[in-house]
Amino acid sequence: MEIKSVSLHDLRKMNDSEGLVLQGCGGDLKEWVDGINDMLTESGILQNESRFEKVYSFNNGNLTCLLFPFDDVQLNVGRLAMWRLQTHEQFGGTWLSDYVPNRLGGFVSENEQTQNEARCSMEETEDFKMEMM
């Protein structure tokens, strides 16, 4: 299992992905991932011995959050939707596609990403030229 830390900006670039975001995950993140995997297996949501093996952690404000991406897992989405609603008070669960627009100001379009990368590249080049002078 891998828990990778990502920035809020990284999340804003995940417009082609979907996943479950749990908010307020304090303590040992590995215990959280193991516990959620077990709960979802027992509830019949994770199927065919599938488990979340790659999870992302991020901080927003004073909350540590986990993103369980739906890539590479077999799950019953209908049951997961019901589980998310039933446990919302406990885990603050929401979909990535709802979290980013409502908490982070929306996804960054590819055009915006390209413009930002070009701007950073130009700034680095200008800084380098200034250092050489």
Side-chain angles (χ1 to χ4, degrees), residues 76-89:
N76 181 318
V77 178
R79 283 188 182 178
L80 179 60
M82 291 301 296
W83 180 88
R84 184 186 67 81
L85 292 172
Q86 292 167 347
T87 61
H88 183 74
E89 263 189 55

Side-chain angles (χ1 to χ4, degrees), residues 11-31:
L11 289 176
R12 294 186 67 214
K13 294 191 293 185
M14 295 182 179
N15 54 344
D16 291 333
S17 300
E18 187 58 278
L20 175 67
V21 175
L22 300 183
Q23 303 174 72
C25 303
D28 185 351
L29 297 181
K30 184 183 180 317
E31 285 183 23

Side-chain angles (χ1 to χ4, degrees), residues 13 110 112-123:
K13 294 191 293 185
E110 286 183 34
E112 288 174 291
Q113 287 180 41
T114 304
Q115 289 174 352
N116 286 339
E117 289 167 4
R119 189 175 314 117
C120 288
S121 177
M122 283 179 30
E123 289 170 0

Side-chain angles (χ1 to χ4, degrees), residues 11-120:
L11 289 176
R12 294 186 67 214
K13 294 191 293 185
M14 295 182 179
N15 54 344
D16 291 333
S17 300
E18 187 58 278
L20 175 67
V21 175
L22 300 183
Q23 303 174 72
C25 303
D28 185 351
L29 297 181
K30 184 183 180 317
E31 285 183 23
W32 273 92
V33 174
D34 288 340
I36 295 298
N37 271 320
D38 291 345
M39 288 178 76
L40 296 179
T41 298
E42 290 168 13
S43 300
I45 295 166
L46 286 172
Q47 301 176 331
N48 300 321
E49 299 180 19
S50 184
R51 293 180 69 78
F52 287 100
E53 295 295 335
K54 187 174 188 180
V55 177
Y56 298 102
S57 70
F58 62 94
N59 293 311
N60 192 3
N62 60 351
L63 293 178
T64 298
C65 304
L66 290 173
L67 167 61
F68 294 80
F70 294 162
D71 306 330
D72 303 323
V73 291
Q74 295 179 24
L75 51 86
N76 181 318
V77 178
R79 283 188 182 178
L80 179 60
M82 291 301 296
W83 180 88
R84 184 186 67 81
L85 292 172
Q86 292 167 347
T87 61
H88 183 74
E89 263 189 55
Q90 186 178 8
F91 299 122
T94 187
W95 306 128
L96 177 64
S97 59
D98 289 334
Y99 187 86
V100 172
N102 292 319
R103 301 284 179 140
L104 304 179
F107 288 101
V108 178
S109 71
E110 286 183 34
N111 192 24
E112 288 174 291
Q113 287 180 41
T114 304
Q115 289 174 352
N116 286 339
E117 289 167 4
R119 189 175 314 117
C120 288

